Amino acid sequence: MAANRLIVHGGAGDWDGFDEAEVLKGVRAAAEAGWSVLRAGGTALDAVEKATNVLEDDPLFDAGFGSFVNEVGEVEMDALMTDGATIKFGAVAAVRRVRYPISLARLVMTRTQNCFFVADGADQLAAELGMPLVANITMVTPKEIDQFRQRQALHATRNEKGTGTVGAVALDGSGNLASATSTGGIPDKRKGRVGDSPIFGAGGYADNQFGAASATGQGENIMRFFLCQRVVEAITAGVDATAAAKSGLDYLAARIPDPEAGIIVIGADGSIGAAHTTKAMPVAWVTADGDIQVAMRPAR
Ligand code: GLY
């Protein structure tokens, strides 16, 4: 029987001006939720969904409630669930009326014959599959909408790299790996713009033969290099998840100046890794003896 493993991230960025204790409390809560699933014998898929739902609910993080608004003051969210046992995925992009985009991504994978739904069609699918639809404005925090209105009044644009996409990766007792990635995208993005997060191989990847990963950061950089697939398939004898994560980001940094990216990884061997090129990337993971550890700046 494989040992359970779990790691979550709250997004690569500078996190300037945030209360780090609160941020770390948020990622810890997500890891606790995912870990309680694994400890009870649940699957890696259940664990990453549960952990990501916690981050989607927490307004500190750029996913679900608390997502950045786009240029017209609306939330458009993207998510990807990957299953290392079947090499299947479910993805959604530019969804506007779903509280938990990662849960919709999972339903795309398990309840449809397709892989990827976007925009109104994705919201409509959610309703058909029994998910409640919410008003877009209920996904926006009062702080985010106030700041948007102030910028509009001043004709100002936002220039920040504060937070980012969230995600979770898990290995369960049956040796199955899964990843979940959920995001509101980048601040002030163009309406209809989609980043790396819902793209299989870029924003997330899982293959039981190698490992699983979830990425965060500037999607335009990550998706061009299929960061998650590149890192996961680098996990071989002698290259654990930490080494693969680091070499994947070193590769990105060698090809693109300041790629603004981060990644969390679990190897099929149970190794856990995290790396980022940004100033910070809050993570929480579970050690071999079941303790939950947190870090604002894991290995860079
Ligand atoms: N990594 C999130 C995005 O670029 O949308």
Side-chain angles (χ1 to χ4, degrees):
M1 181 146 169
N4 293 321
R5 293 280 184 271
L6 178 85
I7 181 166
V8 308
H9 70 79
D14 57 28
W15 288 91
D16 284 345
F18 282 81
D19 178 340
E20 292 194 0
E22 282 301 305
V23 174
L24 293 176
K25 206 164 113 188
V27 287
R28 178 185 286 278
E32 278 168 357
W35 189 242
S36 68
V37 170
L38 291 176
R39 247 194 354 231
T43 65
L45 286 165
D46 288 337
V48 295
E49 179 181 3
K50 186 68 124 188
T52 304
N53 288 158
V54 170
L55 296 166
E56 289 175 328
D57 259 339
D58 188 330
L60 277 178
F61 300 100
D62 172 32
F65 176 61
S67 290
F68 290 129
V69 292
N70 63 14
E71 62 180 351
V72 295
E74 293 172 344
V75 161
E76 291 183 317
M77 299 163 290
D78 313 324
L80 169 69
M81 176 78 84
T82 76
D83 177 4
T86 57
I87 323 293
K88 281 187 174 176
F89 73 93
V92 293
V95 292
R96 302 174 69 253
R97 303 194 53 200
V98 173
R99 174 93 190 188
Y100 299 107
I102 197 61
S103 298
L104 178 56
R106 185 173 182 186
L107 291 180
V108 168
M109 181 172 74
T110 55
R111 301 270 302 277
T112 79
Q113 299 302 312
N114 310 111
C115 298
F116 204 153
F117 283 80
V118 302
D120 290 350
D123 285 327
Q124 195 180 315
L125 177 73
E128 278 168 29
L129 295 176
M131 292 182 85
L133 294 188
V134 299
N136 190 260
I137 190 70
T138 66
M139 303 302 292
V140 186
T141 63
K143 182 174 163 207
E144 179 71 2
I145 202 70
D146 280 355
Q147 289 178 349
F148 173 74
R149 288 184 182 136
Q150 280 169 28
R151 287 194 302 278
Q152 261 194 326
L154 297 169
H155 300 289
T157 53
R158 168 147 68 184
N159 183 20
E160 67 175 64
K161 299 175 181 172
T163 67
T165 301
V166 307
V169 178
L171 171 67
D172 64 28
S174 302
N176 290 321
L177 284 145
S179 80
T181 306
S182 183
T183 191
I186 53 175
D188 277 352
K189 65 184 180 182
R190 298 278 305 270
K191 187 172 170 64
R193 175 268 183 195
V194 175
D196 62 302
S197 302
I199 297 176
F200 187 58
Y205 191 67
D207 179 341
N208 280 3
Q209 279 189 26
F210 300 100
S214 167
T216 164
Q218 185 67 38
E220 282 71 10
N221 296 339
I222 295 166
M223 70 173 107
R224 286 162 58 205
F225 292 92
F226 289 100
L227 181 64
C228 284
Q229 185 175 10
R230 179 180 295 277
V231 165
V232 163
E233 291 186 349
I235 303 169
T236 48
V239 182
D240 67 6
T242 304
K246 188 169 179 328
S247 72
L249 288 193
D250 286 349
Y251 176 80
L252 210 57
R255 303 297 302 268
I256 307 174
D258 192 12
E260 293 175 41
I263 193 164
I264 55 171
V265 193
I266 296 181
D269 59 358
S271 59
I272 293 190
H276 54 106
T277 68
T278 48
K279 272 166 71 179
M281 181 180 75
V283 294
W285 71 97
V286 187
T287 64
D289 48 12
D291 285 339
I292 294 182
Q293 301 281 321
V294 294
M296 201 66 200
R297 293 165 198 81
R300 290 181 71 185

